[in-house]
Structure formats: C-alpha cells, structure tokens
Amino acid sequence: MESIEKEIKECKRCELCKTRTNPVVGEGSLFANVMFVGEAPGYYEDLKGRPFVGKAGKVLDELLESVGWERGEVYITNVLKCRPPGNRNPATAEIKACTPYLDAQLGIIEPTVIATLGNFSLSYIFDKFGLKKDKISKMHGNVFNVNTIASIKKIIPLYHPAVATYNPEMKEVLVEDFKALTRCL
Ligand code: URA
C-alpha cells in the first residue's frame, strides 16, 4: 500500500491534481474484511487528506457504531482520490484515470465484502465484476456474489451516507442495510 500511497500523492494523471489540497488515499485496516468505496473527497476530506470526515463522514461513523464496528477495522476509500472542484460529479475520464488505484487497493486488501456508497461507486464496482446494475432503490441492502480468480466476494450496494444529511428518514434505511452488511460476513 505504501507505494500506491506515494504514487497517489504524486499523481498527475488528471486535472484534479491542480485543484486538490491533499489527495485522499483511504484509511483503515489492510486486513479488513469489509471495504467501503465512496465517490470522491469533499471539502473537508481534501483539507485533511482523510476519507469521510465531513457531514457524510459523521453519518458513516454513526452507522459503523450502530453495528459495533470501528473505522480501524474496515477500510474506507473512494473511486476518485482527489476532490472535484465544488464537489461536482466525477467525470468519466477522471474515473478512468483514477480507478487503477482502487483496483490496486482491492488487490492488496482482498476484502470479503465490498460495500459501495452511492451511484458512482456502484457503477464502477458492478462494471468491474460484470454485474448488471438496477436502480439503487431496488438494490440497496441486497448482497451480490461474484467469483474472482482469487476468491468469492460479496458486493452490497448502499445509499451514500450523505442522503441522510438531507433526508433524515434515510438514516433508518441505512441502519437496516448495515445490519444486512454484518450478516454477510
Ligand atoms: N463523500 C464521499 O463519497 N467520499 C468522502 O470521502 C466524503 C464524502
């Protein structure tokens, strides 16, 4: 992971390197069973160089706590390692340039479960494993099995924790989906 971290810190594969304050590699256990994949760093993540430390991060922390997990026992990262200006959506070319890093992280950690947070993560991970995507409203909390050469993995699509910051009712949906996540280990 150290060499990937170094590469990401020096990365100039796309224009986001010009506007970032800090790239956000990811954090957590390299032996994690569960890897959370979000979209991209936001304002606070860019400032601090850590994933999910803003409002959505607070929701993620509460969700982890609801199932008795600590940040340090899972791994948390994003599709993009640098913040898109103004938190705009990731561009296709940025995803293409950046996801070799995510692929490498998946190869190092080899999590049993990949939990996607939001649509961009869902799309990338489902395409990568050759799965067919449906609406998140139909897929959230369901477990999808994939056979890779190395292992059998499970993928669980989750809503992005930010949804609970503008629609508090969604928090309960996320809490239930996190319960489903613990059951697939
Ligand atoms: N939203 C994300 O998708 N990732 C972060 O790290 C923070 C907010």
Side-chain angles (χ1 to χ4, degrees):
M1 192 64 86
E2 270 173 38
S3 73
I4 295 172
E5 277 180 22
K6 189 167 178 289
E7 254 191 81
I8 294 174
K9 285 178 181 154
E10 293 165 1
C11 183
K12 295 194 168 59
R13 288 188 195 176
C14 81
E15 296 286 299
L16 296 182
C17 67
K18 295 183 183 162
T19 48
R20 73 179 176 218
T21 313
N22 292 294
V24 179
V25 176
E27 66 182 25
S29 168
L30 299 186
F31 305 99
N33 286 323
V34 181
M35 185 155 157
F36 290 92
V37 181
E39 182 176 311
Y43 178 81
Y44 290 103
E45 290 77 19
D46 174 72
L47 275 187
K48 297 189 180 167
R50 295 182 55 209
F52 284 96
V53 289
K55 270 191 201 164
K58 190 169 171 283
V59 176
L60 180 60
D61 286 346
E62 287 165 8
L63 291 164
L64 289 170
E65 204 186 324
S66 75
V67 292
W69 289 354
E70 307 216 343
R71 263 186 183 244
E73 62 187 289
V74 299
Y75 193 84
I76 306 170
T77 189
N78 286 302
V79 171
L80 293 190
K81 308 308 186 204
C82 295
R83 181 188 183 215
N87 295 352
R88 65 158 168 74
N89 284 340
T92 307
E94 291 159 357
I95 295 172
K96 200 164 172 222
C98 202
T99 41
Y101 296 129
L102 175 59
D103 291 347
Q105 290 173 309
L106 282 165
I108 291 167
I109 295 170
E110 291 205 311
T112 316
V113 184
I114 304 169
T116 63
L117 301 172
N119 256 318
F120 284 92
S121 169
L122 173 66
S123 292
Y124 180 72
I125 295 293
F126 265 55
D127 282 354
K128 176 178 167 66
F129 290 102
L131 296 171
K132 203 168 163 290
K133 221 183 85 168
D134 201 342
K135 288 182 193 151
I136 184 69
S137 54
K138 289 204 180 146
M139 299 175 78
H140 73 93
N142 293 322
V143 180
F144 297 80
N145 292 302
V146 277
N147 294 314
T148 65
I149 298 168
S151 60
I152 299 172
K153 285 200 191 309
K154 291 169 196 282
I155 299 172
I156 181 161
L158 303 174
Y159 280 108
H160 195 287
V163 297
T165 65
Y166 40 80
N167 181 357
E169 283 169 21
M170 290 303 290
K171 177 85 183 289
E172 205 38 52
V173 176
L174 274 158
V175 166
E176 288 306 311
D177 288 352
F178 264 64
K179 285 185 194 155
L181 167 57
T182 62
R183 286 195 294 269
C184 65
L185 279 176

Short mmCIF file of all heavy atoms in Angstrom, two decimals, residues 39-72:
data_model
loop_
_atom_site.label_atom_id
_atom_site.label_comp_id
_atom_site.label_asym_id
_atom_site.label_seq_id
_atom_site.Cartn_x
_atom_site.Cartn_y
_atom_site.Cartn_z
N GLU A 39 -17.52 8.00 -3.21
CA GLU A 39 -17.44 8.65 -4.53
C GLU A 39 -16.11 9.40 -4.73
O GLU A 39 -15.28 9.02 -5.56
CB GLU A 39 -18.63 9.60 -4.65
CG GLU A 39 -18.73 10.32 -5.96
CD GLU A 39 -20.01 11.15 -6.00
OE1 GLU A 39 -21.09 10.62 -5.68
OE2 GLU A 39 -19.93 12.34 -6.35
N ALA A 40 -15.94 10.43 -3.94
CA ALA A 40 -14.75 11.29 -4.09
C ALA A 40 -14.62 12.15 -2.85
O ALA A 40 -15.62 12.41 -2.16
CB ALA A 40 -14.90 12.19 -5.33
N PRO A 41 -13.41 12.65 -2.55
CA PRO A 41 -13.27 13.54 -1.41
C PRO A 41 -14.11 14.80 -1.59
O PRO A 41 -14.28 15.28 -2.71
CB PRO A 41 -11.78 13.91 -1.42
CG PRO A 41 -11.11 12.89 -2.28
CD PRO A 41 -12.13 12.41 -3.25
N GLY A 42 -14.62 15.31 -0.48
CA GLY A 42 -15.31 16.59 -0.48
C GLY A 42 -14.40 17.65 0.13
O GLY A 42 -13.18 17.46 0.21
N TYR A 43 -15.01 18.74 0.57
CA TYR A 43 -14.24 19.89 1.09
C TYR A 43 -13.32 19.50 2.26
O TYR A 43 -12.12 19.78 2.24
CB TYR A 43 -15.24 20.98 1.52
CG TYR A 43 -14.58 22.19 2.12
CD1 TYR A 43 -14.03 23.17 1.31
CD2 TYR A 43 -14.52 22.36 3.51
CE1 TYR A 43 -13.42 24.29 1.87
CE2 TYR A 43 -13.91 23.47 4.07
CZ TYR A 43 -13.36 24.43 3.24
OH TYR A 43 -12.75 25.52 3.79
N TYR A 44 -13.89 18.87 3.29
CA TYR A 44 -13.09 18.55 4.49
C TYR A 44 -12.09 17.43 4.23
O TYR A 44 -10.98 17.43 4.78
CB TYR A 44 -14.02 18.20 5.66
CG TYR A 44 -14.77 19.42 6.16
CD1 TYR A 44 -16.10 19.63 5.83
CD2 TYR A 44 -14.11 20.39 6.91
CE1 TYR A 44 -16.77 20.76 6.25
CE2 TYR A 44 -14.77 21.53 7.34
CZ TYR A 44 -16.10 21.71 7.00
OH TYR A 44 -16.76 22.85 7.41
N GLU A 45 -12.48 16.47 3.37
CA GLU A 45 -11.58 15.38 3.06
C GLU A 45 -10.34 15.91 2.34
O GLU A 45 -9.21 15.51 2.61
CB GLU A 45 -12.30 14.34 2.18
CG GLU A 45 -13.38 13.54 2.91
CD GLU A 45 -14.68 14.30 3.13
OE1 GLU A 45 -14.90 15.32 2.41
OE2 GLU A 45 -15.48 13.90 4.00
N ASP A 46 -10.58 16.85 1.43
CA ASP A 46 -9.49 17.49 0.68
C ASP A 46 -8.55 18.25 1.62
O ASP A 46 -7.33 18.22 1.47
CB ASP A 46 -10.11 18.42 -0.36
CG ASP A 46 -9.09 19.25 -1.11
OD1 ASP A 46 -8.35 18.67 -1.94
OD2 ASP A 46 -9.01 20.47 -0.87
N LEU A 47 -9.14 18.91 2.61
CA LEU A 47 -8.33 19.68 3.57
C LEU A 47 -7.49 18.76 4.45
O LEU A 47 -6.33 19.03 4.72
CB LEU A 47 -9.23 20.51 4.50
CG LEU A 47 -9.70 21.87 4.04
CD1 LEU A 47 -10.43 22.56 5.18
CD2 LEU A 47 -8.52 22.74 3.59
N LYS A 48 -8.12 17.66 4.88
CA LYS A 48 -7.46 16.80 5.87
C LYS A 48 -6.73 15.61 5.26
O LYS A 48 -5.95 14.95 5.96
CB LYS A 48 -8.49 16.31 6.89
CG LYS A 48 -9.08 17.47 7.68
CD LYS A 48 -9.92 17.02 8.84
CE LYS A 48 -10.46 18.24 9.57
NZ LYS A 48 -11.52 17.92 10.50
N GLY A 49 -7.02 15.29 4.02
CA GLY A 49 -6.39 14.13 3.40
C GLY A 49 -6.90 12.81 3.93
O GLY A 49 -6.22 11.78 3.85
N ARG A 50 -8.12 12.83 4.50
CA ARG A 50 -8.73 11.60 5.04
C ARG A 50 -10.14 11.43 4.48
O ARG A 50 -10.84 12.43 4.26
CB ARG A 50 -8.82 11.69 6.56
CG ARG A 50 -7.48 11.74 7.27
CD ARG A 50 -7.69 11.80 8.77
NE ARG A 50 -8.52 10.67 9.22
CZ ARG A 50 -9.33 10.71 10.29
NH1 ARG A 50 -9.44 11.82 11.01
NH2 ARG A 50 -10.03 9.67 10.62
N PRO A 51 -10.58 10.17 4.28
CA PRO A 51 -11.91 9.96 3.71
C PRO A 51 -13.02 10.15 4.75
O PRO A 51 -12.84 9.85 5.94
CB PRO A 51 -11.87 8.49 3.26
CG PRO A 51 -10.91 7.84 4.21
CD PRO A 51 -9.88 8.90 4.54
N PHE A 52 -14.14 10.63 4.30
CA PHE A 52 -15.37 10.71 5.12
C PHE A 52 -15.11 11.35 6.50
O PHE A 52 -15.30 10.70 7.53
CB PHE A 52 -16.02 9.32 5.26
CG PHE A 52 -16.75 8.90 4.02
CD1 PHE A 52 -16.13 8.09 3.07
CD2 PHE A 52 -18.05 9.33 3.77
CE1 PHE A 52 -16.79 7.72 1.89
CE2 PHE A 52 -18.72 8.96 2.61
CZ PHE A 52 -18.09 8.16 1.68
N VAL A 53 -14.69 12.60 6.48
CA VAL A 53 -14.51 13.33 7.74
C VAL A 53 -15.42 14.56 7.83
O VAL A 53 -15.33 15.34 8.77
CB VAL A 53 -13.02 13.75 7.95
CG1 VAL A 53 -12.17 12.53 8.25
CG2 VAL A 53 -12.48 14.53 6.76
N GLY A 54 -16.32 14.73 6.85
CA GLY A 54 -17.27 15.84 6.89
C GLY A 54 -18.63 15.34 7.39
O GLY A 54 -18.71 14.41 8.18
N LYS A 55 -19.69 15.99 6.89
CA LYS A 55 -21.05 15.64 7.33
C LYS A 55 -21.41 14.19 7.01
O LYS A 55 -21.97 13.48 7.84
CB LYS A 55 -22.06 16.54 6.61
CG LYS A 55 -22.36 17.82 7.34
CD LYS A 55 -23.57 18.49 6.68
CE LYS A 55 -23.62 19.95 7.00
NZ LYS A 55 -24.51 20.69 6.11
N ALA A 56 -21.10 13.76 5.79
CA ALA A 56 -21.39 12.37 5.40
C ALA A 56 -20.56 11.41 6.25
O ALA A 56 -21.01 10.30 6.58
CB ALA A 56 -21.11 12.16 3.91
N GLY A 57 -19.36 11.85 6.60
CA GLY A 57 -18.49 11.03 7.44
C GLY A 57 -19.06 10.81 8.83
O GLY A 57 -18.91 9.74 9.42
N LYS A 58 -19.75 11.86 9.32
CA LYS A 58 -20.36 11.73 10.65
C LYS A 58 -21.45 10.65 10.60
O LYS A 58 -21.58 9.84 11.51
CB LYS A 58 -20.95 13.09 11.06
CG LYS A 58 -21.39 13.14 12.47
CD LYS A 58 -21.72 14.56 12.91
CE LYS A 58 -22.36 14.57 14.28
NZ LYS A 58 -23.77 14.18 14.27
N VAL A 59 -22.22 10.67 9.49
CA VAL A 59 -23.27 9.64 9.33
C VAL A 59 -22.61 8.26 9.22
O VAL A 59 -23.06 7.29 9.86
CB VAL A 59 -24.13 9.92 8.07
CG1 VAL A 59 -25.15 8.81 7.86
CG2 VAL A 59 -24.82 11.28 8.17
N LEU A 60 -21.53 8.18 8.44
CA LEU A 60 -20.86 6.88 8.30
C LEU A 60 -20.36 6.38 9.66
O LEU A 60 -20.52 5.20 10.00
CB LEU A 60 -19.69 7.00 7.30
CG LEU A 60 -18.89 5.71 7.05
CD1 LEU A 60 -19.77 4.58 6.50
CD2 LEU A 60 -17.73 5.97 6.09
N ASP A 61 -19.79 7.29 10.46
CA ASP A 61 -19.32 6.91 11.81
C ASP A 61 -20.47 6.37 12.66
O ASP A 61 -20.33 5.38 13.38
CB ASP A 61 -18.68 8.11 12.52
CG ASP A 61 -17.31 8.44 11.95
OD1 ASP A 61 -16.74 7.62 11.22
OD2 ASP A 61 -16.82 9.55 12.22
N GLU A 62 -21.63 7.04 12.56
CA GLU A 62 -22.79 6.58 13.35
C GLU A 62 -23.28 5.21 12.88
O GLU A 62 -23.67 4.38 13.68
CB GLU A 62 -23.93 7.60 13.22
CG GLU A 62 -23.67 8.88 14.00
CD GLU A 62 -24.60 10.04 13.62
OE1 GLU A 62 -25.57 9.82 12.84
OE2 GLU A 62 -24.35 11.17 14.08
N LEU A 63 -23.21 5.00 11.57
CA LEU A 63 -23.65 3.71 11.03
C LEU A 63 -22.69 2.60 11.48
O LEU A 63 -23.14 1.50 11.85
CB LEU A 63 -23.72 3.78 9.50
CG LEU A 63 -24.84 4.67 8.97
CD1 LEU A 63 -24.62 5.00 7.49
CD2 LEU A 63 -26.20 3.99 9.16
N LEU A 64 -21.40 2.89 11.44
CA LEU A 64 -20.42 1.90 11.90
C LEU A 64 -20.67 1.59 13.37
O LEU A 64 -20.69 0.42 13.78
CB LEU A 64 -18.99 2.42 11.71
CG LEU A 64 -18.50 2.50 10.26
CD1 LEU A 64 -17.18 3.27 10.18
CD2 LEU A 64 -18.32 1.11 9.66
N GLU A 65 -20.91 2.65 14.14
CA GLU A 65 -21.15 2.46 15.58
C GLU A 65 -22.42 1.63 15.81
O GLU A 65 -22.47 0.81 16.73
CB GLU A 65 -21.29 3.84 16.23
CG GLU A 65 -20.96 3.80 17.71
CD GLU A 65 -21.24 5.14 18.37
OE1 GLU A 65 -21.02 6.19 17.72
OE2 GLU A 65 -21.71 5.11 19.52
N SER A 66 -23.43 1.83 14.94
CA SER A 66 -24.70 1.10 15.12
C SER A 66 -24.52 -0.41 15.02
O SER A 66 -25.33 -1.18 15.53
CB SER A 66 -25.76 1.59 14.12
OG SER A 66 -25.49 1.08 12.82
N VAL A 67 -23.45 -0.85 14.33
CA VAL A 67 -23.21 -2.30 14.23
C VAL A 67 -21.97 -2.70 15.06
O VAL A 67 -21.47 -3.82 14.93
CB VAL A 67 -23.07 -2.77 12.76
CG1 VAL A 67 -24.39 -2.64 12.03
CG2 VAL A 67 -21.96 -2.03 12.01
N GLY A 68 -21.48 -1.76 15.86
CA GLY A 68 -20.37 -2.08 16.76
C GLY A 68 -19.02 -2.19 16.07
O GLY A 68 -18.13 -2.89 16.56
N TRP A 69 -18.87 -1.52 14.93
CA TRP A 69 -17.59 -1.56 14.23
C TRP A 69 -16.84 -0.25 14.43
O TRP A 69 -17.45 0.81 14.55
CB TRP A 69 -17.78 -1.76 12.72
CG TRP A 69 -18.24 -3.12 12.34
CD1 TRP A 69 -18.38 -4.21 13.17
CD2 TRP A 69 -18.64 -3.55 11.04
NE1 TRP A 69 -18.83 -5.28 12.45
CE2 TRP A 69 -19.01 -4.91 11.15
CE3 TRP A 69 -18.72 -2.93 9.80
CZ2 TRP A 69 -19.44 -5.66 10.07
CZ3 TRP A 69 -19.16 -3.67 8.71
CH2 TRP A 69 -19.52 -5.02 8.84
N GLU A 70 -15.50 -0.35 14.39
CA GLU A 70 -14.67 0.85 14.44
C GLU A 70 -14.10 1.10 13.05
O GLU A 70 -13.89 0.16 12.29
CB GLU A 70 -13.51 0.62 15.41
CG GLU A 70 -14.00 0.15 16.75
CD GLU A 70 -13.19 0.70 17.89
OE1 GLU A 70 -12.09 1.17 17.62
OE2 GLU A 70 -13.71 0.65 19.01
N ARG A 71 -13.82 2.35 12.78
CA ARG A 71 -13.19 2.70 11.50
C ARG A 71 -11.93 1.87 11.22
O ARG A 71 -11.65 1.50 10.11
CB ARG A 71 -12.78 4.17 11.51
CG ARG A 71 -13.76 5.09 10.87
CD ARG A 71 -13.14 6.47 10.83
NE ARG A 71 -14.10 7.37 10.29
CZ ARG A 71 -13.95 8.04 9.15
NH1 ARG A 71 -12.85 7.99 8.47
NH2 ARG A 71 -14.92 8.81 8.70
N GLY A 72 -11.17 1.65 12.30
CA GLY A 72 -9.87 0.98 12.14
C GLY A 72 -9.96 -0.47 11.74
O GLY A 72 -8.95 -1.08 11.39
#
